[in-house]
């Protein structure tokens, strides 16, 4: 029995998935902040958005990495270290030749992954 290879997502599908993850993450942070700032909930430090929202973020990220064949965990880096690209600054990611790698958007990340790029240096 031959193993069927997974096909990459289209750029549009990839960007939509990343943007939905980003929106869910932002919503979770907003709800956490509302609970934290609520005088009625000051004594309830166990309140958080995770209790209100079922999140499958880790599963979605895992599947994106598998589908996109992201062997170097660039998707994890983009989402968790660069906060969906918001913390990206020019010069913090370079290729093995010292050239700047810009992945501050899901579109640029997609192109980078499809080109099988390997980031040689990362700084956060």
């Amino acid at each position: 029995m031959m193993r069927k290879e997974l096909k990459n997502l289209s750029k549009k599908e990839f960007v939509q998935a990343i943007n939905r993850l980003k929106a869910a993450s932002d919503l979770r942070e907003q709800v956490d902040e509302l609970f934290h700032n609520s005088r009625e909930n000051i004594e309830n430090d166990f309140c958080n958005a995770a209790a209100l929202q079922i999140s499958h973020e880790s599963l979605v990220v895992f599947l994106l990495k598998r589908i996109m064949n992201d062997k170097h965990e660039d998707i994890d880096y983009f989402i968790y270290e660069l906060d969906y690209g918001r913390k990206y600054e020019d010069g913090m990611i370079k290729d093995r030749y010292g050239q700047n790698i810009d992945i501050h958007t899901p579109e640029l990340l997609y192109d980078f992954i499809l080109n099988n790029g390997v980031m040689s240096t990362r700084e956060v």
Side-chain angles (χ1 to χ4, degrees):
M1 179 181 228
M2 289 180 60
R3 182 171 177 232
K4 190 174 182 180
E5 291 294 318
L6 294 174
K7 293 186 178 183
N8 290 336
L9 294 172
S10 72
K11 186 183 232 180
K12 181 179 179 181
E13 292 167 327
F14 180 81
V15 169
Q16 286 175 337
I18 294 289
N19 284 337
R20 299 247 350 233
L21 284 172
K22 180 180 174 184
S25 176
D26 289 348
L27 176 62
R28 189 171 46 249
E29 287 178 17
Q30 290 172 354
V31 171
D32 282 344
E33 186 175 325
L34 286 172
F35 272 113
H36 180 71
N37 293 333
S38 172
R39 289 180 182 224
E40 296 158 3
N41 290 307
I42 288 176
E43 296 174 13
N44 297 328
D45 32 34
F46 60 86
C47 287
N48 61 50
L52 299 174
Q53 175 183 357
I54 297 172
S55 176
H56 301 292
E57 178 181 299
S58 62
L59 176 61
V60 173
V61 171
F62 169 79
L63 292 172
L64 283 174
K65 289 175 3 185
R66 288 294 299 259
I67 292 168
M68 297 301 296
N69 196 26
D70 180 17
K71 295 176 184 174
H72 306 288
E73 300 189 358
D74 296 319
I75 294 171
D76 282 304
Y77 182 70
F78 175 81
I79 291 173
Y80 301 117
E81 300 296 326
L82 296 181
D83 189 25
Y84 295 92
R86 290 182 275 220
K87 293 182 179 178
Y88 171 85
E89 294 178 16
D90 283 337
M92 68 186 329
I93 306 167
K94 297 182 180 183
D95 66 14
R96 63 181 142 249
Y97 306 107
Q99 298 297 312
N100 188 53
I101 297 172
D102 183 351
I103 61 164
H104 78 277
T105 67
E107 292 86 355
L108 291 170
L109 174 64
Y110 180 89
D111 292 340
F112 178 75
I113 292 170
L114 277 191
N115 291 323
N116 294 318
V118 179
M119 296 178 210
S120 64
T121 58
R122 295 179 180 169
E123 297 177 19
V124 178

